[in-house]
Amino acid sequence: MWDGELDEQKLKGVFSSLVADGGWLFLKGENQKAADSFTSALALNQDDKNCFVGRSKCYLKMGHSDQALKDAEASLKVDATFFEGLYMKAEALYHMAEFEFALVFYHRGLKLRPQIQEFRLGIQKAQEAMENSIGSPSSVKLKNKGDLAFFRKDEEVKRSKPISAIQNLTKEKKQQSQKTPKKEKTTRQMLGEFYSDRKYLESLMKDEDLVKGKTKGGERLEDVIQGCLSYLDTCTDFWKQESPICDQEKNRKPAQQKRSKPRHGAPSEHAQFLLKSLDEIDADLECGNAEGSLKKAEEVMKVVQRWSDKEVPDKKEILGGLHSCMGNAWLDLGDVDKALEHHHKDLELSKQCSMPEALSRALDNIGRVYAQTGQFEQAAEFWQKKIPLVYGALEKTWLFHGLGCCYLMLDRHDEAREFGLRSAAAADEAADEKWQINAHVLVAQSELKLGNFESSVFYFERALTHAKLQEDDSAMEAIQKALEEAKQQLPQ
């Protein structure tokens, strides 16, 4: 019996160590290693909700949105009211461009934890993304967030999936457009390869038994299908305004001439080509095929370079986004020099376009490359330039924390403490207890290095309090150990 208890204690220690390693590796940006550590921990305790959320964050950072969603849902099977699981499910859905479903879970999280600002921010960004996800294809812009390529319309980001967003939620859900043969022909020309998707959705709406069903998340299938149809109808209307075809009898001949031109000649075809291509680039990178992703990005770049600025006014922004994708692929392939080369090209193009979001993306990517390769001086240099471009509290939190960690590694302890405090303030503004733990630990470590032992103990104790509130056993264990070591330095 005693041997069994000893083995159980040993396994618990190994589990806690694996979880702590996963958290630390994630903070350093080593997402795959962090995910592997959480996977090993789950092999020892397959029902740990914090492990599922930790690995979900790693997958989301790597661009594996589907896997991030599965892990978030797994954490909710353990605890349906686990607010971090709800937040990660909403985030995964948002990054999959399932904005309407993401909105549902942001709302559920806010109802459970109204004090957490990130749920409010999530509701806002999901609503704005839904409003902005339809527009003139010529106004589509490319953005990269983390390791994924995104299209950007106006001031909001959406992932490059063309038929996943559901629009016009305020419209009557049972409204179904009736097409005359002439309009049907126009719709076919406007939607192109997506026309067959529309016909398939219409056939599903005729299945009375099917539409009465619900998704795993509880959403009515009738509402989901009708939303998709409304989205495609709106696409047709907007693209028709951009490139009118067969609106009047006199336009028939020009329309026929247009159809005889090469593909990608009309703005809508440019947009469809880019949407499809970036999906393929993302898919290859997500499944670990960095070489395939890189090859596809290079091919797309050659096509885009042949387009005129008149055809695509945002050409430089699109090229910058492709350089960003290629930089991420080269980093996965282990070629740091080529990764930096492409991220620097993205940086230069973003400066030419005067695009703050693209500039922020490029600076972030360059900083991450340097940080992951241990070049902390260079990482700090580029992340410092990103500071004026950051407005959200949560983004400030991790940026300040990253800078503080760089300065801690460089033995610049005063600066490490300063950024640790700034990270803690931003985490408090965002009401993010996990980042409050990380920030206070950073401040405590900096104070310890500076010889301010009482202050170090104070901040370790604050971090421990947040860890207890989170019921994070692995964090509590690691912080308690560091706290005891700091206390030993206190004058007797």
Side-chain angles (χ1 to χ4, degrees), residues 392-394 396-398 400 421-432:
L394 195 58
K396 287 180 181 178
T397 299
W398 68 254
F400 293 153
L421 290 169
R422 292 174 70 177
S423 177
D428 185 59
E429 181 186 345
D432 191 303

Side-chain angles (χ1 to χ4, degrees), residues 386-433:
K386 179 181 169 73
I387 293 176
L389 304 171
V390 177
Y391 299 100
L394 195 58
E395 190 175 6
K396 287 180 181 178
T397 299
W398 68 254
L399 177 61
F400 293 153
H401 185 271
L403 278 162
C405 288
C406 286
Y407 289 130
L408 191 66
M409 298 299 293
L410 293 167
D411 294 329
R412 292 162 60 175
H413 304 130
D414 284 316
E415 291 162 284
R417 175 179 58 187
E418 176 193 345
F419 278 103
L421 290 169
R422 292 174 70 177
S423 177
D428 185 59
E429 181 186 345
D432 191 303
E433 292 183 355

Side-chain angles (χ1 to χ4, degrees), residues 177 179 198 226 228-238:
S177 13
K179 305 284 183 181
R198 192 189 194 291
Q226 185 56 54
C228 290
L229 286 167
S230 297
Y231 171 79
L232 291 176
D233 286 342
T234 311
C235 280
T236 303
D237 292 339
F238 273 89

Side-chain angles (χ1 to χ4, degrees), residues 12 31 102 106 133 146 205 238 244 251 286 310 318 350 353 355 377 432 463:
K12 186 176 179 182
N31 299 309
Y106 285 131
S133 61
M205 285 295 289
F238 273 89
N251 288 336
E286 286 172 14
K310 185 177 180 181
I318 295 171
S350 67
C353 298
M355 284 290 296
E377 189 80 50
D432 191 303

Side-chain angles (χ1 to χ4, degrees), residues 38-55:
F38 286 124
T39 300
S40 298
L42 284 166
L44 299 176
N45 184 354
Q46 60 184 2
D47 295 322
D48 189 89
K49 60 185 182 182
N50 290 305
C51 266
F52 280 120
V53 164
R55 192 170 66 176

